[in-house]
Amino acid sequence: MALKNSCYILTETVKFVIPNRGFSFHTLSKEHLALQKICRDFSEKHLKPIAARLDKKHEFPVKEIETLGQLGLLSINVKGKYGGSDQNTLGLAVAVEEIAKGCGGTGAIVSIHNCLYANLLDRFGNEKQKETFLKPFTKENLGCFALSEPDAGSDVGAMSATASLDGDKYILNGIKSWVTNGTQAKAAVVFATVNKNLKHKGITAFVIPIPIAGLSMGKLEDKLGIRASPTCTYIFDHVQVPKENVIGNVGEGFIIAMKQLEKARVGIASQALGIAQASLEVAVKYAAQRKAFGQPINQLQAVKLRLAEMATRLEAARLIVWRAAIMCDEQERTTKYTSMAKLVASEAATFVSHEAIQVLGGMGYVSDMPVERHYRDARITEIYAGVNDVQKLLIADAIIKEYED
């Protein structure tokens, strides 16, 4: 069952108005609930049973990603005329959470492709680029996003990959690290500088097909978690890219990356929610079955207190993530909200998965139960799409600016 190519209309059934901020929070609409059910059913039936195997073997979920593409979940925020599902950002949040609940690695694959490839081209690509690099990627192929470098992560302005104009093409040289989906992608959005002296203003975005002459891949990273999601290094050695593959204008790459990372933070935060929800459910179920001192351990005060705080932090995180998702579609800049969402949700995922291990005790420490995997998967959500220390700085800067205005 594919998603309909129509925008979700948020219901007016329940509405909370945040004073002096022009923000309205709505319940999930019938369309969102239907999307949630599709993703939840798929996750329970197809992802949850194989998640441990994918993690252990570092195995890419080939068939499952193909099915998700057929369901319209590789193009959630892409316009219908390009083959997308034409949904809003709240739809993205709902879908990614449910997928990540079944498998954190698969949640990462879907989130990164949607946020940092498909939606990026939908927003900033020209018509020719959309025909070539977007339409074929809405149902089948995966794309990736190559921004970080070994010495340029949070400090994007320190980028050393270069793009030198040579007639009607650019020559790309340099290294890109931490490329999610890199080994599976058929195209990539790549950032390089046309002039290092210009720093941020020299950074330019390109879309390139994969494979392409001069591009080689480094080793597949052996990661702590989200092992179903492949991460590698891209090495560019005089890669020739036509001028027509520049996304936007020369020198606009930094702006494009920053705007798109706002959307990506919602995706990562939603992935964190799914991991946290899965952890909570395992803990609650185990606590009802495990007995100690003649009763289920869910009757012990210490366990009750853990479950209460786990559930509360998760619910609070979900509300702020959904708020940020709605804000992405209501105003131009949403840095404060998306940074808050990523910060709170990722910390909730780490906390809830940690507490789940404590509830399970020794069983939480072995791979017979999934919470040790959830804990490992949760850790990356505090790091990628901008480490949480940077998110705090972005939030603070936004608040200071608000009160100065």
Side-chain angles (χ1 to χ4, degrees), residues 74-390:
L74 295 183
S75 55
I76 300 171
N77 297 148
V78 174
K79 296 181 183 65
K81 68 178 181 177
Y82 302 119
S85 296
D86 209 7
Q87 310 302 332
N88 61 15
T89 309
L90 183 55
L92 170 77
V94 168
V96 170
E97 177 180 346
E98 293 300 329
I99 294 167
K101 180 182 167 187
C103 174
T106 305
I109 294 167
V110 172
S111 174
I112 297 299
H113 172 79
N114 272 285
C115 297
L116 292 178
Y117 182 82
N119 182 250
L120 185 152
L121 284 172
D122 186 69
R123 293 176 72 187
F124 301 107
N126 59 40
E127 290 302 315
K128 185 174 181 180
Q129 290 168 353
K130 291 175 183 179
E131 285 292 328
T132 305
F133 293 103
L134 181 56
K135 277 189 176 182
F137 290 77
T138 58
K139 295 293 188 293
E140 299 176 4
N141 300 325
L142 284 179
C144 63
F145 180 86
L147 176 67
S148 295
E149 297 180 3
D151 295 317
S154 298
D155 184 10
V156 178
M159 182 179 297
S160 60
T162 60
S164 305
L165 185 61
D166 181 12
D168 61 352
K169 56 185 175 292
Y170 282 90
I171 310 299
L172 270 58
N173 286 285
I175 298 175
K176 292 294 174 180
S177 56
W178 312 115
V179 184
T180 302
N181 299 340
T183 60
Q184 300 292 323
K186 301 300 182 183
V189 173
V190 181
F191 297 83
T193 180
V194 297
N195 186 336
K196 290 184 181 180
N197 294 327
L198 294 177
K199 296 186 177 180
H200 298 85
K201 294 182 180 179
I203 296 173
T204 302
F206 302 84
V207 58
I208 67 170
I210 298 175
I212 186 173
L215 172 62
S216 58
M217 297 183 190
K219 70 180 180 72
L220 185 66
E221 299 293 347
D222 186 3
K223 305 192 299 287
L224 175 70
I226 60 166
R227 292 173 173 174
S229 168
T231 303
C232 70
T233 297
Y234 276 0
I235 303 166
F236 295 87
D237 184 8
H238 292 84
V239 175
Q240 299 184 22
V241 181
K243 288 172 61 177
E244 62 190 31
N245 287 30
V246 171
I247 302 174
N249 296 313
V250 173
E252 291 182 347
F254 178 78
I255 295 173
I256 290 171
M258 293 305 104
K259 285 185 176 181
Q260 206 59 38
L261 283 169
E262 290 185 358
K263 175 90 71 169
R265 286 194 286 268
V266 173
I268 299 306
S270 301
Q271 178 196 359
L273 293 178
I275 295 168
Q277 183 66 47
S279 301
L280 176 62
E281 291 180 7
V282 173
V284 171
K285 184 176 180 180
Y286 183 85
Q289 296 173 346
R290 174 75 163 90
K291 291 184 178 181
F293 307 104
Q295 62 182 337
I297 64 172
N298 65 6
Q299 296 305 303
L300 300 177
Q301 186 180 54
V303 174
K304 286 184 176 182
L305 294 178
R306 288 188 189 278
L307 295 177
E309 191 164 5
M310 291 161 69
T312 301
R313 291 201 190 190
L314 172 56
E315 189 66 21
R318 181 176 289 115
L319 290 175
I320 198 169
V321 172
W322 286 3
R323 173 177 179 171
I326 294 171
M327 294 301 286
C328 280
D329 295 322
E330 290 190 353
Q331 64 184 50
E332 179 67 21
R333 294 308 302 271
T334 58
T335 302
K336 183 180 79 170
Y337 305 103
T338 58
S339 291
M340 285 180 171
K342 198 264 188 185
L343 172 66
V344 172
S346 62
E347 291 186 347
T350 299
F351 175 82
V352 173
S353 57
H354 174 275
E355 292 296 286
I357 291 176
Q358 293 301 115
V359 171
L360 270 67
M363 288 303 297
Y365 198 68
V366 296
S367 59
D368 291 346
M369 297 294 282
V371 290
E372 61 86 24
R373 169 166 49 85
H374 297 328
Y375 181 77
R376 290 185 287 105
D377 287 349
R379 289 299 295 117
I380 190 61
T381 64
E382 294 192 52
I383 299 171
Y384 65 178
V387 296
N388 280 5
D389 304 271
V390 170

